Each structure stands twice: as C-alpha cells, then as structure tokens.
Amino acid sequence: MNELEKLLGRIIQRINVNLRELEYDVSPFIKNLVPLNQMVKFHAFYGITPNHSLDFLFNHSNLAGSYFLGKIQVRNSILYKSDIRGDELKSKGDVFHYQKFEIPITTDEGIDIEDSFLIKTLVHNFSHDPETLEKFFIRDTITSHYANIHGAPMDGSFLGPFSTVDLTTMRDCVIGAFSYIQAGEVDHLNIEPGTVWVRSPDDFNFHYRYPADRLKDYICFDKGAPPKGLFIDFVEDRKEDFGQLFNVFNIEQPASVPESSSLNRFSVIKPKTYISENVMVAQRAYLENAWLGKGANAQEQCYVINSRLDGFDIMAHGAKIIETNLGENVFVGFNSFLRGRTDSRLTVGRDTIIMPHTIIDTKKPLAIPPGHLVWGLITTPDELESNSIALEDLSKIDAGLMKGNMSFEGSGAVFVNAFRERIHHILEANGAFFDGKKNRGHAQKNQNISFNTIQPYPDGELQGLYPAIVIQP
Amino acid sequence: MNELEKLLGRIIQRINVNLRELEYDVSPFIKNLVPLNQMVKFHAFYGITPNHSLDFLFNHSNLAGSYFLGKIQVRNSILYKSDIRGDELKSKGDVFHYQKFEIPITTDEGIDIEDSFLIKTLVHNFSHDPETLEKFFIRDTITSHYANIHGAPMDGSFLGPFSTVDLTTMRDCVIGAFSYIQAGEVDHLNIEPGTVWVRSPDDFNFHYRYPADRLKDYICFDKGAPPKGLFIDFVEDRKEDFGQLFNVFNIEQPASVPESSSLNRFSVIKPKTYISENVMVAQRAYLENAWLGKGANAQEQCYVINSRLDGFDIMAHGAKIIETNLGENVFVGFNSFLRGRTDSRLTVGRDTIIMPHTIIDTKKPLAIPPGHLVWGLITTPDELESNSIALEDLSKIDAGLMKGNMSFEGSGAVFVNAFRERIHHILEANGAFFDGKKNRGHAQKNQNISFNTIQPYPDGELQGLYPAIVIQP
C-alpha cells in the first residue's frame, strides 16, 4: 500500500499549496476520512453501450467505484465510489453559444481528473466554461462525501460533504458542507457551510445561508472525523441494499418497465414501485414504494420513498423525498431533502421549483402551492411563507428582494426564465419527451449497458492502485 | 452482431485457406457449434497479482470467459470461455537450452492470438519452439470444446474436442477429437480421433489409437452438431455449479486451506474436501468429496470426485477421476478419464504414470500396480494388462515394442526419463516443494488474485465485440 499512501500524501500537499492564500490546511479533514484499506476492497466499473463513445485512460490511480460513460482520463488520483457520468459531453463539430461568441468544438470533450481525491462524488454534465470547452478538468482537488462537481472545471479546491459546484469554474476555493455554488467563475473563496448562491453576472444574484446551529443536525463536518448528521445516517442506513447489487453480475429487472424507460441495474428498487413511460432511474438511485409518472426521472443518489411523482418531475442528483407527493413538472434541486411523515404528508404543487439544497422537514401535513420557488430550511407553514415566493411575483421583481436569510438582486424574470429553460433541457436530455421516434434521451439510450469491473493490485507495493488501462472503441 | 458474424466468417475462411491441401472444410463443423448470441451473454475476466507482469492488448475480438495472467495480445479473434494462463512465460534475460544451443531470451515472451476462434480452450505454459521463443503465436486456428494448446505455437489448424497439442509447433493440421499430439514440429497432417502420439525425433516414438467404435461413446464430433458423448454430458451436468461462481463478485473460501496452498476462487469445492499443504487448485477445477495430500495439484478443468490423492500427485489439465485412489507421486495426464464405482473403486499405485488421454472405466474393483506406464482404453483387468508396462521394463527397451493398439520405437529409458523430468518440473512450478521460504510456485503465488471483468457491446453493429483495451502495469 506504500504507493497509494504516497499518492494521497502528494495530493494533500498539492491542495494545501493551492489553498495557501486562504491559510487552509486540508490534512486534519482528510485524516480518518476514509481508511485507505477500504480502497483495496472495492472494485470499479465502467459502462459500455453503443451510444456512448469509449475513450478511457486510467493511470497510477485508485478507481474504487464509479461508472464512467464517455471520455475520461484519470491520472494520479483516487476515486472512491464516484459516479462520473460523461454522457452529455460536447462532441467534435458542435457549436457552443456564449454571449456574442459562436465557438466551434474542435475535439470531443473529455473529463480529465489529475492529482485529485474524490470521495463518493458525482461528476456529470459538460463543462460550461467557454475558456475550456473541450477539456473538463478536475485538478489538485479533494471532494468529500456526496459532493457534486456538475459541469464545473476545478483546480486546487476542497469541497465539503453534500456540496455542489454547478456550472462554475473554480480555482483555489474551499466550499463548506451542503453549500451550492453556481456562479460562473470564482477563485480564492472560502464559502461557509449551508450557503446557496446562484449568480449570473449582470443578471441576478441569489443568496441564502442556513442557520449554522440548525444545519448541523443534518450535516456537520469537523476536523479529524468523517462527516456526521442525519444525511449521513440516512444514506448509511440504506448502504446494505446497494452492497448486494454490487456483488452480483447479472440481476433480474426488479420491476416491470415500459420499453421507453430505463432502470439502471445498480439502482435499488423495492416494492411497490411503479414506472411509467419515458422514465429514467439512474445508478445508485433508491426507490421504495415509489410511483413515477410519465417523463419523471430520479438521478444518481436520489431516494424516493413512499412518494409519488405525477410526471415530468425532476429529481436532480442527490435529491431525497419521503412521504411526499410531487405534482406535474416539479423540479427538486440537487441534494434537497423533502420529508413528510406517514400521517403528515408533504405535497408539492405543479410547476414548483425546489431550489437546490433545500430542506423541507415537516411533522405536520404541509402543502407547497403550485408555481412557487422554494428555498432553504422549512419545517413549519411560517417558514414556508418566508422561504418561498410565487414565480409570477418573482418575475416582476427587478430591484431586489430580502426574505428571511435570502437576498435577491437583479431581474427576477431572467432568473425564472433561466431556471425554466434548464428544467426543459434536463427533461429533454433524459428522454421525457420521447414520442417513440424522436427526442431520445438517457431513458432510451441507457437501457442496455454492459458493465466492466476492474480491481486494484491485491497486495505488494502497488496494493490499492489499479494497473494502467487504455480503452478505445 | 453484424461485425461479430463477419469476424467469424473471416476466421473460417482463413482456416479453410490453410487447410486446402488437406481438402478440408471446417464450415460444417463450426455451424451450430456455438450460437453467436451466447457470446454476448458472457463476460470475460483477467487476473491481477503483484507476481505476474501485466501486458494485455485486446482488439476487435470477443473474449467471453477466460482469465489471462501474463502478456497476451488478442486480435480479430473469438475466445469463448477460454482459460489462457500465461504465468509460465519466459522472461527477458532467461536462457533457453536446446540441444547444442544456448538461446538468450531478448524480450518477455507473449501469447499472440490472431484471427482465431477458441472454444473453451486452455492455453497454458510457454512455447518450446526454439525458432520462436519470445512469441507464442496462435494464428488462423479454430479449436473445439475443451481442446488444449499447451505450449504449442499454431497456425492454420483445426482442433477437435478434448484434443491436446503439447509442446508442438503445428501448421495446417486437423486434429481429431481426443487426440494427443506431442511431436516437436508437424504440418499438413490430418490426425484421426483418439490418436495418442508422443515423439521425440531420434529418441522415441509412442503411438496409440483408440478403437473408433468404442471411443464414440465417450466423445464423438460430427458435422453439423456440437460434440456429443459421455465427456460432454459429464461436463454439462456440472456446469451449473460453475455458473454460480461467475455471477458473484466476492466469495467466501469454501474450505479451510493452509497458507501454502491456493484454491482458485473460480473452482467448485463441494463437501467434504480436504486440502493439505502446497496444494494448487486451479480455475474451473471441480472437487467433490476429495482428499488432496501435500503437494498435489488439480489443474484447469480437472474433476476430483469421491477420490483421494495421497500427495505429490499431478492432475494435468482436464484430467477427471471418480471413485479413485491415487498413491503418492502419480501423474494423471491431460484429459484422462479415470472412473471407479462406489463399490468398485479404482486404485493407482505410487509412481505410476497415466498417459495423457487415457480412459480407465471399470465396473469392478481395479488396481493399477505402482511404477507403471498406463495408456489407452481400459475397462477390464485384461485390458489393463495389454495397456500397461512397468516403467522398469520399459526402461530396458531400445528396439521397440508392440502391445495391443500401441507401438513404441526407440529408447524406453529416454522416454521414461523425459517423463520423470517433466513431472518433477510440473510439481516444482506448482509449488509442491515449497518449504516455507524456497521453491515458491503457483500454489503460493496465485493465492491472492484480483479479477477484472469485461463485457462486450450489448447491442448495435458491434454487439458481441469488446472495446479495444490496453492494460499495462
């Protein structure tokens, strides 16, 4: 295991060099975070389909976990149960529109991970930075449990557990637990835990901060110990169900699924679950007594328990709903946690947008009205009132708005439109609008994936490292 | 599946071009031999250990099955459940002794498989041809079920089921079912089924032919149908036990095993099985109520059922024993089938050599005396008498010997010595003489293997083909 230890030491040093201006030392956080001998036990795997061009290079790395689709290079890195999914990367010949620029894509985009340590981290989508359209880089970066690097090139950064960096190019930053950052281009920031920040320069700026004393019950990340809190317990409690899926090669489809829908074979499907047409259930999604209407999707790390999705609903990566009804066309943002109780269900009206990283945790019946934007921490009707606004009202705002811990500047209409466009794009990419011929998306393309597994050296100097592997079509 | 069909067509054509002088058409044998859609269902795998240098290249091929250790290249080929094991290949810096030549090995030896179709075929050991020491080639070749290419470079040949070509360089030959050829260098031969031929030019020539009408009950291979007979039934009856092993990732060791021994994780171990020290049980071996004494080994495709091996016994690839006792130091050659009955056990005395491809099938108790050479088809004491000779007596022969269907020319002493040396080498290579420090062999080196699995494209034009893969340390 000597080489693996040296590799981790070198990665930590690189991050600390990058974070020197912030006077930040990641070492105490990384120590005890994951015992290295875990890395030897797991196997990695990658999916193969005729719909995703294959182009992998793995070198001097540990890859425990993962399903890579698309073009990925990994060098001098440790990927621990990561879900990297390169099935939306840009292709040679595409044209990228950015402000006044029409930028031609000259080679197929690839994800390049170098000198990084990603723990249970999803990397999805394509990089939106017009400066580096063909190379989605992740360098000198450490991410903690269930962080998400979503279309966000990154260098020299440290991401706390359940944080998301979305469509943002980031250099030399520290992102606190459960923070969501969508801000274009940022560097040398140390973002507090529980920050939700959505910025489009010159257009709008949305900012919310969780009360620290209440967030810590859900997620808390201190030096010298792995992350703790309800989010971690919730995921750990269901870990065993996944373990069984990963120890078996061939598995019977656990539910009847229409031809236009796909259940990833590494998703947990418990009774009684119903899957309609054009539904996409991704790897490591968890469905239990779940009713998924037409065009709905449950992305990676989503949990749908005793809940119903009326249709065309989006469960973005890491979203969790329990004892909840979603009307049609509801968007539940990244890592949101929506929990009703058996006799006190939570209902979300149609066309409502649950902001990324929202917590709704109610012990009494609660109804979110249709057509609203909802954010932050909500446990009572009063908190719902101060943490939501009708989309119609928000569209009229152009001077700014303060509500509870949230501040908004800029054009509400631009903000709402940007969100609606993105929701439409996500449904489209996932195949929600497939009509039997046109509009094929992930639900139709990801039905039949072969999975290859790879393991590290079982002992010796190289224990825990994987052999160098190159895979081409 | 278009590409896979084209590939098979092209392989068949290549063999037929090679076999044109023999006026032999392999097509009617290959048709219906294995449905191509089987190739899509299976996954291939290769082992990784710190003791075997990794160097794989797979290109435009189907690899269903297999565990590759060592340096292997596969191009334009179909490997169906093959057990290629490159863990005895020659290394750069070795010196190969051949007659008066001392030949330096200038690069690590590799197995190169090109334009070939190998069905459930083992390729083991290193190539002994002094003309091509670094490249063990298998080109333009089709092998049927459970054939074995043992250290035998090969071009343009067709091997029938349960045949073995051993330490022989072969060009443009057809080898009948259950034939064993060890003959140095041969070309343009059409060998009848059930031929056992061991030749060392200028030294000796051993030849035996099975009676065709009796062999066909055991193995029979006609045009237009897969091979039939007791050997096939025997293997098929136990197929399900193996299937379970291949569908699971991690498996508990099914028997207690001393530190100096290794049970391959893809072997079937049924109660009550006992494993002594320095024992090697290879992949796809099958043990049921088996007692394995110190230094014994059971190689690939071996079956040991209700039997006891006293120690330092060799079960060469494909050997099967049922209701049988082996004294110490017994060699059971490739694909031999030794069957006693519950109340009529077969016993084999110590130091006896069962020739490759021997069938002993007795319904009454039968005792093979110690220190004998045994060959051919034996079902009664009379047949044992005409199909065996004391090694001591054989050593005295230098003019020749005819016994039943067997003819021997040349020096009996050289023949017996050659066999004894080989037996010693096999025990040594398998780690039978390990003393806790010295003489490590496969039993000690193959204990901790990581297995990587790879799968073909699940559908589309390339269905059944595997992506190109390069693997390096």
Side-chain angles (χ1 to χ4, degrees), chain A residues 247 250 451-453 455 470, chain B residues 247 250 451-453 455-456 470:
Chain A
N247 195 29
N250 299 305
F451 286 99
N452 291 356
T453 64
Q455 290 188 286
V470 176
Chain B
N247 195 28
N250 298 305
F451 286 100
N452 291 356
T453 65
Q455 289 188 287
V470 176

Side-chain angles (χ1 to χ4, degrees), chain A residues 43 46 48-50 54 246-250 448 450-460 467-473, chain B residues 43 46 48-50 54 246-250 448 450-460 467-473:
Chain A
H43 56 265
Y46 53 90
I48 294 183
T49 84
L54 266 177
F246 286 90
N247 195 29
V248 170
F249 254 104
N250 299 305
N448 204 352
S450 287
F451 286 99
N452 291 356
T453 64
I454 41 182
Q455 290 188 286
Y457 285 102
D459 47 37
I469 304 177
V470 176
I471 301 159
Q472 305 264 326
Chain B
H43 55 265
Y46 53 91
I48 294 183
T49 85
L54 265 179
F246 286 90
N247 195 28
V248 170
F249 253 103
N250 298 305
N448 204 353
S450 288
F451 286 100
N452 291 356
T453 65
I454 40 182
Q455 289 188 287
Y457 284 103
D459 48 37
I469 304 178
V470 176
I471 301 160
Q472 306 265 324

